Amino acid sequence: GGPAGQATAPPVAKRAGAWAGAPPPAATMSGTPSPKVEKKLSKLRQQEMKQLEKLAAQERKANQKVEKERQAQVKKMDKKLKSKSDSVSGGLVSESTRPPRHEVSFMFERLMDALEFTDAKKREMNGLSIDSKWIFIQQHRTNVKTADGYADLKLTDNPRYFVIKLQSDPSTETFEELSLTLRTADATWYSSFQSLKGLNLLLSVLLLEADKSITLSDAKLEADRKKLTKIIKCLKVFVANEAGLREILHTKDSVNKITLCLASTRGKAKVQVFEILAALCQLGDDAFALVLQSMAYYKHIKQDTMMFSHLVDALRFDKLLDSRVMAMTLINTMVSTPDELDQRLEIRNQFYRLELLKVMEEVRAQPSPPTELLNMFDLFDEDAREDAREDADRFDVVGTRERDVAAIAKFIEQRALHDGV
């Protein structure tokens, strides 16, 4: 202590000096380990690397052993399956006695799913040769069902099969198979097919094949026309089936795409497109509205000056009589389908503006006009007269109550002029 009344100062300098004079720790002020510590750490790292290398070598050895055992099992199974090939396939399996490789692979994968194989078992089985896979399929062919309820190995019963075929092998045979399947398919099949975007794929192939047919040589054109006809045949079955029609109506741009291919289809294929559109017109207001919408879409894409001009051109210029008859059938169907008189008059007047009456008179003036066309023309005229009477009665036009044909024809002409024909 100091004198009385004075505070004693703490020995700060001494304590600070003690810290300042203390020896440095093992690491320098910059954080670098001392040589002794560095040597020890280096030795530890070397020991750790050796241990990791030893573990990696053990793992490689174990994997090699597993792979060797797997290959031995596959080889054994392969040999076993081949030994049974005579009883299964009547002889050596070859490319001529089994389906194409991609189909066998598809069936094999689905069969393993149906048999609930583990991932490890699937990897093992995938090591089999393509012939052994086919034999294995044959041995397990009966009464195998998948989770979605379809007989998995009867390929044409499975919507997924056709989706894969449309992507990998859009051949004439594929569309022939699809057409046959669609005829007997139920609503669940159609729904599953569309959930896999099957209808979208079918429509895309339709447009692709239709566009291709324009540039093909005559030699290849016939084969491609046959394929195109088969594609459109599938769509006809879609429309004829209630479940299929529902999918058509709920698939965006489906009717637009069907109508658009009229620009590039010829012959029987074009006739079938006309038939599809005529059928759609009569399958309810929604379907009819989509057909009208598709005609406007066609006009927009092809930059036509007026809607329906391609139908009148088909009637005037197509060489195939069936195509001209179906074009006129579609015209009659579109004109007569609406329940509302004003809509019927509006559609008919658009055909008047396209000089349909002139085309009809030119055909009638031919030395031997086709009877089928004349019948279609008569139906058009009859519907026009009936609508004219209804329109005249509605507006109480003098002279039409006697049902005089000349007066009705005059009224049609005046009405058309009034509407801007």
Side-chain angles (χ1 to χ4, degrees):
Q6 285 186 333
T8 304
V12 175
K14 185 177 180 181
R15 285 197 298 272
W19 278 107
T28 65
M29 296 303 290
S30 62
T32 304
S34 67
K36 185 177 180 180
V37 172
E38 177 62 35
K39 185 177 180 181
K40 189 174 181 180
L41 289 174
S42 177
K43 187 176 180 180
L44 289 172
R45 281 196 293 266
Q46 289 175 1
Q47 290 175 349
E48 185 179 0
M49 287 297 297
K50 286 181 180 180
Q51 185 65 24
L52 288 173
E53 288 175 359
K54 185 178 179 180
L55 290 173
Q58 290 174 349
E59 186 175 355
R60 284 195 300 270
K61 188 175 180 180
N63 288 339
Q64 289 172 354
K65 184 179 179 181
V66 170
E67 178 62 19
K68 188 175 181 180
E69 290 176 353
R70 190 191 70 81
Q71 290 179 359
Q73 290 176 345
V74 168
K75 188 174 181 180
K76 183 178 178 181
M77 186 177 294
D78 217 2
K79 185 176 180 181
K80 183 179 179 182
L81 288 170
K82 285 181 179 178
S83 70
K84 296 182 178 181
S85 63
D86 288 340
S87 62
V88 175
S89 58
L92 182 65
V93 177
S94 67
E95 291 189 3
S96 62
T97 58
R98 63 164 167 76
R101 180 177 294 270
H102 71 275
E103 290 187 16
V104 173
S105 296
F106 171 76
M107 286 189 281
F108 193 69
E109 289 292 333
R110 296 289 281 170
L111 176 57
M112 290 193 294
D113 288 341
L115 295 175
E116 299 182 348
F117 283 180
T118 63
D119 290 342
K121 184 66 174 178
K122 287 180 180 180
R123 285 194 296 271
E124 176 186 323
M125 294 295 289
N126 276 324
L128 293 173
S129 67
I130 196 70
D131 289 338
S132 293
K133 288 180 180 179
W134 177 235
I135 295 169
F136 186 81
I137 289 168
Q138 295 291 85
Q139 291 175 336
H140 296 79
R141 197 176 187 96
T142 57
N143 300 321
V144 177
K145 297 285 183 177
T146 60
D148 56 13
Y150 291 104
D152 196 60
L153 300 180
K154 189 178 179 184
L155 289 183
T156 53
D157 282 350
N158 196 316
R160 189 179 299 277
Y161 164 74
F162 284 108
V163 171
I164 292 174
K165 290 280 278 185
L166 288 174
Q167 293 171 324
S168 62
D169 179 33
S171 62
T172 302
E173 292 72 22
T174 294
F175 298 115
E176 182 65 39
E177 277 187 322
L178 178 57
S179 174
L180 293 172
T181 299
L182 289 170
R183 292 179 187 279
T184 56
D186 57 15
T188 301
W189 194 101
Y190 276 95
S191 178
S192 179
F193 184 69
Q194 182 48 17
S195 70
L196 297 167
K197 303 299 181 184
L199 179 56
N200 301 74
L201 275 172
L202 185 62
L203 291 167
S204 296
V205 175
L206 169 69
L207 286 179
L208 180 65
E209 293 296 328
D211 289 342
K212 268 173 52 180
S213 67
I214 299 176
T215 58
L216 290 174
S217 62
D218 291 340
K220 198 171 184 307
L221 190 57
E222 187 59 35
D224 248 64
R225 279 179 177 171
K226 184 178 180 182
K227 181 194 289 190
L228 191 57
T229 301
K230 297 295 183 183
I231 298 171
I232 299 172
K233 185 178 179 182
C234 291
L235 292 169
K236 281 185 67 178
V237 180
F238 250 93
V239 171
N241 182 288
E242 183 179 351
L245 174 63
R246 186 164 55 248
E247 299 303 330
I248 288 271
L249 298 182
H250 292 160
T251 300
K252 185 180 179 181
D253 289 334
S254 59
V255 183
N256 287 348
K257 291 176 180 178
I258 293 172
T259 300
L260 193 58
C261 77
L262 283 172
S264 46
T265 49
R266 302 287 183 273
K268 188 176 180 181
K270 191 171 186 177
V271 172
Q272 288 181 321
V273 175
F274 283 143
E275 290 173 346
I276 290 173
L277 296 174
L280 283 170
C281 285
Q282 302 176 72
L283 292 174
D285 293 342
D286 290 342
F288 179 62
L290 287 176
V291 173
L292 287 183
Q293 176 184 303
S294 75
M295 295 294 163
Y297 179 79
Y298 186 101
K299 172 183 175 293
H300 170 71
I301 294 297
K302 295 303 175 181
Q303 297 183 336
D304 290 342
T305 55
M306 295 182 66
M307 196 161 77
F308 305 131
S309 61
H310 60 293
L311 301 183
V312 177
D313 286 345
L315 177 63
R316 176 180 279 160
F317 300 117
D318 280 7
K319 294 180 180 179
L320 186 66
L321 176 60
D322 285 348
S323 181
R324 298 168 68 198
V325 171
M326 278 311 305
M328 191 64 208
T329 300
L330 178 57
I331 291 171
N332 280 340
T333 305
M334 286 193 295
V335 169
S336 62
T337 293
D339 292 330
E340 294 294 328
L341 174 62
D342 285 338
Q343 190 177 14
R344 295 199 301 271
L345 293 174
E346 179 185 351
I347 295 173
R348 186 179 289 111
N349 282 342
Q350 291 189 62
F351 284 107
Y352 287 154
R353 296 185 186 100
L354 289 164
E355 299 186 331
L356 175 61
L357 295 180
K358 180 180 178 181
V359 176
M360 291 166 58
E361 288 308 312
E362 289 173 353
V363 174
R364 282 170 167 153
Q366 294 174 359
S368 300
T371 303
E372 298 94 326
L373 276 179
L374 295 180
N375 291 338
M376 290 295 103
F377 295 164
D378 290 345
L379 183 59
F380 181 89
D381 290 340
E382 181 181 346
D383 287 341
R385 285 193 294 269
E386 289 181 1
D387 283 348
R389 292 188 187 103
E390 184 177 342
D391 197 25
D393 285 343
R394 184 173 61 173
F395 289 100
D396 195 24
V397 176
V398 178
T400 59
R401 298 196 182 282
E402 291 77 17
R403 302 296 187 260
D404 180 77
V405 175
I408 293 170
K410 183 67 175 175
F411 175 77
I412 293 173
E413 181 181 352
Q414 292 174 343
R415 183 69 175 167
L417 289 172
H418 176 268
D419 289 338
V421 178

